[in-house]
């Protein structure tokens, strides 16, 4: 009897954990919108929704991100996603598109050299420097702009810091960085 009870308890815990891991980032039992119900009925869409939520929450936690703009953009995006209603491919496409917008980490680029800053400002303290044409990894573009170029949070020589977009070349972001090929 004890062995049967343990097996039943193990099965119950396994199915509960398995079910919980298939849930999207919101509670399906309170889902009102058609789009939310479609997401709840799909493991793939639920997994994409969880990934999107992780990226969104990570962005919200960054001190240099304009939280009001990010939240406004998310609300606008949710309105677009919800227009998909029963359209599985439409919902999947909208979620993947939003993920690609939020997941800008690890873009290969290079710097023309210059100072690395502790914050996205020329008034911020210098925390390092890099030489011309040094490869860097762009972790993300900030909302801070100077002379038409945004500041970027980058990694160079195993150090993470900020550098102005006018000193960077990212072929994937020609309008936000300075590449001789684009000028």
């Amino acid at each position: 009897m004890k062995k049967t009870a343990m097996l039943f308890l193990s099965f119950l815990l396994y199915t509960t954990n398995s079910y919980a891991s298939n849930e999207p980032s919101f509670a399906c039992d309170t889902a009102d919108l058609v789009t939310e119900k479609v997401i709840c009925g799909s493991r793939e869409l639920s997994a994409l929704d969880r990934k999107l939520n992780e990226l969104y929450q990570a962005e919200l936690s960054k001190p240099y991100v304009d939280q009001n703009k990010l939240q406004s953009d998310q609300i606008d995006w949710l309105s677009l996603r919800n227009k998909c209603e029963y359209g599985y491919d439409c919902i999947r496409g909208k979620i993947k598109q939003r993920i690609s917008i939020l997941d800008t980490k690890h873009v290969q680029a290079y710097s023309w050299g210059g100072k690395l800053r502790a914050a996205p400002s020329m008034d911020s303290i210098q925390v390092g420097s890099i030489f011309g044409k040094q490869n860097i990894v762009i972790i993300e573009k900030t909302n801070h702009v100077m002379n038409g170029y945004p500041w970027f949070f980058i990694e160079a020589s195993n150090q993470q810091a900020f550098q102005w977009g006018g000193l960077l070349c990212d072929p994937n972001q020609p309008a936000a960085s300075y590449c001789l090929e684009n000028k």
Side-chain angles (χ1 to χ4, degrees), residues 48-109:
L48 287 171
D49 181 75
R50 284 192 310 274
K51 180 177 180 178
L52 173 59
N53 187 55
E54 286 173 20
L55 291 169
Y56 177 70
Q57 294 302 323
E59 284 297 302
L60 277 177
S61 70
K62 295 175 182 169
Y64 46 84
V65 170
D66 182 345
Q67 291 186 354
N68 291 332
K69 171 124 176 57
L70 182 62
Q71 289 170 341
S72 174
D73 289 348
Q74 189 74 358
I75 290 167
D76 293 344
W77 173 81
L78 283 169
S79 296
L80 288 174
R81 182 207 68 184
N82 292 338
K83 289 180 182 176
C84 292
E85 292 194 335
Y86 291 103
Y88 182 91
D89 289 336
C90 177
I91 296 167
R92 191 169 106 237
K94 295 289 185 208
I95 294 173
K96 284 186 170 187
Q97 180 183 35
R98 186 70 177 150
I99 286 172
S100 72
I101 290 169
L102 293 176
D103 191 17
T104 59
K105 236 178 174 178
H106 302 296
V107 174
Q108 285 293 335

Side-chain angles (χ1 to χ4, degrees), residues 136-169:
I136 62 168
V137 174
I138 293 180
I139 298 173
E140 78 180 310
K141 180 171 85 170
T142 72
N143 293 322
H144 300 277
V145 178
M146 183 178 90
N147 296 334
Y149 291 105
W151 283 80
F152 288 87
F153 189 56
I154 68 167
E155 184 173 316
S157 303
N158 296 320
Q159 180 179 13
Q160 293 184 349
F162 294 90
Q163 192 170 43
W164 177 56
L167 296 174
L168 303 178
C169 176

